[in-house]
Amino acid sequence: MFRTFFARNGYRLLTRRERRHLRQHLERLSELDLRHRFDHAPGPEELRAHIDREWPEHEFIGWFEHGVLRGAIEIFYHDDHAEAGVTVEPAWRGHGVGTELVRRAMEQARGRGATSLSISASRGDAAMIDMAARMGGRMSFGHWRAIEPEEANTAMRAWIEFDLHSPAAEPASEGVVGRLRKHLARLLG
């Protein structure tokens, strides 16, 4: 009997042949979710082109449930720094999938010699900001780029940076997360 090489459940680096799963995952996300991830809502052709690029400094880690990709993180390497973008389908949020993807991306980046990992989150992506605060990420805020009027709600970005050479930070208390939320609310008025 033929057995698949990869398990149908769990986290793993995606192979080139598995990128079709990433495209299907991204196509299941809402326009707002895509704006949080890409700073705009890419169409199907733009998503396909993004996923199919040959970037040696670019990796994907995915989380599968019953053979279906439900969460992913893309890692981009620049010398000794890495950047990442995270997506998790709505039904699987709040269960630690995004946190585990970020943790695995930190390990992967550290293994490739990166000293830091940064993730950007739009101002409306409270789940990402909360997760980063719990994981000890340092945050700064600013505008990402010139925006179209309909993108004004996602233009303010939280830049979250993790130091990959320091010991794992203790998870932040709910008080710290609450203070970060209040600070973000004041900044965004």
Side-chain angles (χ1 to χ4, degrees), residues 23-183:
R23 182 180 43 80
Q24 292 165 349
H25 161 69
L26 293 173
E27 288 173 348
R28 286 190 294 271
L29 296 174
S30 72
E31 182 177 321
L32 181 59
D33 291 333
L34 292 173
R35 285 181 187 277
H36 285 317
R37 168 59 188 90
F38 293 101
D39 303 312
H40 68 289
E45 290 304 315
E46 188 178 350
L47 283 176
R48 186 172 293 115
H50 174 78
I51 293 163
D52 289 341
R53 286 184 190 154
E54 283 297 330
W55 293 339
E57 69 282 353
H58 185 207
E59 298 181 299
F60 300 97
I61 298 173
W63 177 69
F64 288 82
E65 183 183 64
H66 303 296
V68 179
L69 184 68
R70 298 298 185 177
I73 189 163
E74 297 177 60
I75 312 166
F76 304 87
Y77 297 98
H78 312 280
D79 298 321
D80 65 346
H81 176 74
E83 294 179 41
V86 182
T87 53
V88 177
E89 293 178 25
W92 289 268
R93 293 180 190 153
H95 301 287
V97 173
T99 300
E100 183 63 15
L101 286 167
V102 170
R103 189 187 69 71
R104 286 172 183 259
M106 292 169 71
E107 287 176 8
Q108 188 72 15
R110 188 180 298 115
R112 290 203 39 179
T115 60
S116 64
L117 173 79
S118 63
I119 300 172
S120 72
S122 66
R123 79 177 199 183
D125 196 353
M128 177 61 73
I129 293 169
D130 288 352
M131 183 267 308
R134 286 190 312 273
M135 293 183 73
R138 293 185 316 269
M139 289 186 223
S140 60
F141 302 92
H143 286 280
W144 173 245
R145 60 182 170 80
I147 56 167
E148 300 297 322
E150 67 272 9
E151 295 175 330
N153 66 332
T154 61
M156 179 63 86
R157 305 298 290 174
W159 294 97
I160 306 153
E161 184 145 344
F162 299 95
D163 180 356
L164 300 180
H165 287 315
S166 66
E170 289 294 316
S173 68
E174 288 302 314
V176 170
V177 173
R179 285 194 300 276
L180 286 168
R181 279 188 186 151
K182 287 178 188 173
H183 178 69

